[in-house]
Amino acid sequence: MADDPSSLDQHCRPGFACCWALILLLASSTCELERRRSDAELGLNPQQASGHHIYEQYCDRCHAAYSSRGRQGPSLKAIFRKPFLSSSGIPANEARVSEIIRVGRNKMRGFGNVLTEDEIHDLLAYLHTL
Ligand code: HEC
């Protein structure tokens, strides 16, 4: 089989690869900055701050809190400021949200046997600040 020089061409574009690397780097460093804001900077009270730490430990890798970009799960930005949850249309109230946290939903596992009731309350208090 003869080599096809045009297909080779398409794979050798270092300029593009570089561009993407730079964009990804910038995007991820912006994320990091958003995530690292301190409790004081966010104006959190002690209960909300405790919820913030629980969020960073268990939820942040799948849910963005301060950007509307999806990760593995939908963004939770402004979660309680709208009448319905953005991805499922479930009413955005404490009862339904804490149920999702406890038992999970579709691809999200539940945290009912990981978090205590107090921790879930703290987490909800934090989610109200988003
Ligand atoms: C491994 C990834 C992962 C982790 C960790 C995770 N979730 Fe999720 N979450 C998801 C996915 C995926 C969905 C979408 C489920 C569906 O299909 O409705 C979701 C859905 C949700 C929803 C409903 C959102 C909507 O708009 O319908 C809430 C609320 C939620 N998660 C809160 C949390 C909280 C709070 C935590 C931390 C205790 C957490 N999640 C941890 C992946 C995750």
Side-chain angles (χ1 to χ4, degrees):
M1 271 247 162
D3 276 346
D4 177 357
S6 65
S7 81
L8 232 172
D9 259 10
Q10 284 176 350
H11 289 100
C12 297
R13 290 188 179 163
F16 272 110
C18 224
C19 240
W20 277 113
L22 197 65
I23 288 168
L24 287 176
L25 191 74
L26 284 174
S28 63
S29 60
T30 317
C31 267
E32 203 59 21
L33 279 178
E34 275 174 10
R35 202 156 66 77
R36 292 282 167 237
R37 272 193 289 175
S38 73
D39 299 335
E41 280 171 305
L42 292 167
L44 304 180
N45 69 29
Q47 187 189 25
Q48 294 160 346
S50 153
H52 185 205
H53 296 148
I54 295 162
Y55 187 92
E56 287 199 326
Q57 197 176 343
Y58 296 105
C59 321
D60 188 76
R61 67 195 164 96
C62 293
H63 296 286
Y66 299 107
S67 104
S68 42
R69 243 174 349 133
R71 293 186 181 157
Q72 277 183 62
S75 158
L76 299 187
K77 185 180 178 192
I79 172 172
F80 282 122
R81 293 174 201 261
K82 296 165 287 183
F84 301 100
L85 298 180
S86 54
S87 83
S88 56
I90 288 173
N93 59 42
E94 289 211 352
R96 304 306 297 275
V97 169
S98 61
E99 184 185 306
I100 294 174
I101 295 172
R102 282 195 193 91
V103 302
R105 201 182 134 73
N106 299 332
K107 281 189 225 147
M108 176 181 152
R109 56 164 288 193
F111 289 83
N113 52 6
V114 178
L115 301 173
T116 65
E117 279 303 300
D118 282 350
E119 286 172 326
I120 292 178
H121 280 134
D122 292 355
L123 189 52
L124 288 170
Y126 169 66
L127 292 176
H128 274 287
T129 70
L130 300 182

